[in-house]
Amino acid sequence: MAVSDQSLAGVAIPDTKLATEATELIRDTTDELIYHHSRRVYWFGSLQGRVRGLSWDPELLYVGAMFHDVGLGEAHRGSGRRFEVDSADEARRFLQRHGVPEDSIRRVWTAIALHTTPGIPEYMEPEVALVTAGVEYDVLGIGYEAISDADREAIVALHPRPDFKHRILNAFTEGIAPKPETTFGNVKADVLARYVPGFTRGDFVTTILESRWPE
């Protein structure tokens, strides 16, 4: 099968102005690690959608995939917000500039904001479910065997992942270490616990017991 930068594994990048500008923006404002990862998320999410028999809007899924990690960038490290929210807000601003309907914007925002929250997105709209599915496939290997070797190899040939495991963990660490409080109750606390000396994760039980309530 010939490898194209727009179509492979039976899945095409949307041939629209919105998708083209999203590609250009992410390529210009992130590094090659995040760019290649985001493109893989679109293809892996789409293939997982096919396996699950879902119907989705490719353009919305593409924008969700492309923007899902922009909040890790240096510009957002002093925001005090979870990087997922910063990423979702960037996507919302992009879509608003293009006059996209509010319901579509909400889907993309939700898909990005929830992409590190397991157990919920799979029960929501397909675009929400499949951004997470693509991320979980590329980062965690969840559902690895559901995609054929040939399709997986074609995607990775177009968007390589050299030493991806360590490099993405480093990107997570750099993106969230300046705001460690944002990891309370979410999976990124595991990253800081491994890679940031002196990090102490927030504890849900302790927070309850030490709250201002007198009883």
Side-chain angles (χ1 to χ4, degrees), residues 37 41 134-142 161 164-165 168 172:
H37 166 54
V41 165
V135 171
E136 290 180 340
Y137 192 93
D138 199 46
V139 178
L140 303 172
I142 294 175
R161 38 178 295 148
F164 177 72
K165 293 178 181 180
I168 196 64
F172 292 153

Side-chain angles (χ1 to χ4, degrees), residues 54-210:
L54 300 178
S55 177
W56 64 94
D57 184 320
E59 194 174 51
L60 298 184
L61 178 58
Y62 186 71
V63 172
M66 293 306 288
F67 277 84
H68 82 277
D69 272 348
V70 298
L72 292 171
E74 189 171 352
H76 301 285
R77 292 175 188 173
S79 73
R81 296 184 297 270
R82 286 181 60 164
F83 87 92
E84 302 93 330
V85 173
D86 287 330
S87 301
D89 283 350
E90 286 294 326
R92 177 163 56 195
R93 285 189 282 269
F94 172 79
L95 293 170
Q96 286 173 337
R97 289 197 301 269
H98 287 78
V100 173
E102 281 301 317
D103 182 66
S104 296
I105 293 174
R106 177 191 58 78
R107 289 188 184 213
V108 173
W109 193 96
T110 304
I112 296 172
L114 291 181
H115 82 267
T116 62
T117 303
I120 294 175
E122 64 193 279
Y123 299 105
M124 301 183 72
E125 296 98 328
E127 296 84 7
V128 179
L130 296 180
V131 168
T132 292
V135 171
E136 290 180 340
Y137 192 93
D138 199 46
V139 178
L140 303 172
I142 294 175
Y144 189 79
E145 302 301 332
I147 293 175
S148 72
D149 292 346
D151 286 345
R152 186 186 319 112
E153 290 166 6
I155 293 165
V156 173
L158 182 61
H159 293 292
R161 38 178 295 148
D163 197 28
F164 177 72
K165 293 178 181 180
H166 293 101
R167 292 170 71 215
I168 196 64
L169 285 168
N170 183 65
F172 292 153
T173 303
E174 290 183 348
I176 60 181
K179 42 185 181 181
E181 69 284 355
T182 67
T183 66
F184 178 69
N186 69 78
V187 296
K188 291 301 185 289
D190 295 340
V191 176
L192 298 193
R194 175 70 69 93
Y195 296 107
V196 176
F199 170 74
T200 301
R201 71 173 69 230
D203 181 82
F204 180 64
V205 174
T206 299
T207 301
I208 293 173
L209 294 177
E210 295 182 356

